[in-house]
Amino acid sequence: MLTSTDAIALKVTPYSESSLIVQLFTRDLGKVTVIAKGARRQKNPAGAILEPMSLLTVDFYHKTSRDIQTLKDVSLASGALKIRRDLKKLSLGLAITEVIAGVIAEDDPAPILFRLTWKVLQSLETTEGFDHLLFLFFLLQLAIHTGFKPNLETCSSCGKVLKTAVFSNNSGELECPSCNRETGLVLGGHGLAMLRKLTVTHIENLGELTGPREETENAVSFLTAFLEFHIEGLHKLKAPEILRQIGI
Amino acid sequence: MTPYPPSLERVIQSLVKLPGIGQKTARRLGFFLLTAEKEDVIEMAKSLEDLTKYIQFCENCHSIAEGSLCEICKDPHRDQGTICVVEEPADIFIFERTGFRGLYHVIGGVLSPLDGVGPDDLNLQDLLKRASTAKEIILAINASIEGETTTLFLTKLLADQDVTVTRLARGLPVGGNLEYVDDLTISRSLSERVKVNNG
Ligand SMILES: [Zn+2]
Ligand SMILES: [Zn+2]
């Protein structure tokens, strides 16, 4: 059956002399792997379009009995042009593809996560100045839409209102410093407030949210640990470590 | 399906591990080897064994070598101050065809979170060491998204060093793998390389 759907390219691997294997997050079918025959030939425009983070419309022949579908046609909705010139945007964009690839599954459409990833990558390409917030927004919305919305209000042990939160490596929940004396990840008042605000902020208004950069970075580490704990398939993410080492 | 004799099955399963070879091709090659001249097949097996025995990575540039240093690092006539940074040893042979006569440094891949490759998994620390005594570092990494990330990362890493850092001129196809670009284009993008720092 010929299927046409919007898709986000997650991973592109050269295959044989002239083809590419592309892992896609499609709107209609979830994760799909396609082979783009001839895409590596120099005059084939598909080769330049098929890159991680590209927002695409794809036509492919879909057979459920096959692991790899055959790509028939591809067009570009939005490419990672600005992203590819900026180390910070690149690293965050690759982190987004790593996280989402660990969450979605084959033959399991996830239209809300698709829209989220599409919009966040589009914003990363078109906006300036709040790349980290975009990543934080992505992680938080991902948690919410996969059913793991963190309780940012009260301690999961004693129920007291959280002023500072400690991430519990045992329960995967947020606790107050009196209940949890581990030396794990701690989120201060600013970070908590930022996350609370972020749960109700539209992606287009992220610019209005400001906070010290370290707080945003700290909140990213906190949420990453939270997601790694709760979502199967996200055991130990590589991207946050790369981001840390890159120092952005 | 009747199973193949175990020794043939072993060959097929070894061939399947090669890039671009599926079960079908592996079976065809397996049967071909059965009908080929015995000496040729033994020579092939022996050469593969030698490959694992004698080829190691150059201590200096991480290219392939027989012995602790590769032929290029051993050559005193090459320009010792210019280092061309590439992903894989195979890339070196592409630049050799253009007449480049400096040295190389193989980083052994590109940054790729999806593949679990971070900075620690690449040969970057000794590149930094080598850069401290070099005149110019040419970043000649593929123009894929991951390659671009790596190039920008290295640019940042080398920013504080007293060395000129350049990268291949754009003009290489976006997403392009060097392996599939013609020699003339490579040669031009090398000679028109652009400076990316103030070293
Ligand atoms: Zn408590
Ligand atoms: Zn060497």
Side-chain angles (χ1 to χ4, degrees), chain A residues 10-11 15-17 40 42 48 51-53 84-87 90 94 97-98 101 238-239 242 245-248, chain B residues 20 111 113-121 143-146 148-149 152-153 156 170 174-175 177 180-182:
Chain A
L10 299 177
K11 185 176 154 59
Y15 181 80
S16 77
E17 294 274 303
R40 299 181 77 191
Q42 265 191 64
E51 283 208 297
M53 295 179 258
R84 68 177 300 131
R85 300 218 157 94
D86 183 329
L87 182 56
L90 270 171
L94 287 176
T97 60
E98 185 197 9
K238 200 77 182 182
I242 294 181
Q245 285 201 35
I246 288 174
I248 54 175
Chain B
L111 293 174
L114 264 180
D115 295 316
V117 182
D120 287 348
D121 302 307
S144 64
I145 284 280
E146 292 87 351
E148 204 60 25
T149 310
L152 293 177
F153 178 63
K156 194 177 152 111
R170 295 178 197 270
V174 168
N177 191 308
Y180 294 92
V181 181
D182 62 89

Side-chain angles (χ1 to χ4, degrees), chain A residues 7-70:
Chain A
I8 301 163
L10 299 177
K11 185 176 154 59
V12 182
T13 322
Y15 181 80
S16 77
E17 294 274 303
S18 61
S19 302
L20 291 172
I21 302 272
V22 188
Q23 197 184 87
L24 299 169
F25 180 12
T26 66
R27 183 198 302 273
D28 298 345
L29 294 160
K31 199 189 268 183
V32 172
T33 305
V34 295
I35 179 164
K37 289 181 180 154
R40 299 181 77 191
R41 296 212 176 90
Q42 265 191 64
K43 293 207 169 79
N44 191 328
I49 293 176
L50 291 168
E51 283 208 297
M53 295 179 258
S54 285
L55 307 182
L56 310 161
T57 303
V58 294
D59 297 333
F60 59 90
Y61 296 102
H62 185 235
K63 247 195 204 166
T64 38
S65 59
R66 271 194 313 228
D67 290 340
I68 297 181
Q69 314 296 335
T70 305

Side-chain angles (χ1 to χ4, degrees), chain B residues 58-65 69-74 104:
Chain B
C58 172
E59 280 171 5
N60 191 42
C61 73
H62 301 279
S63 179
I64 46 176
L69 285 181
C70 72
E71 299 305 311
I72 291 172
C73 287
K74 271 194 280 194
Y104 296 92

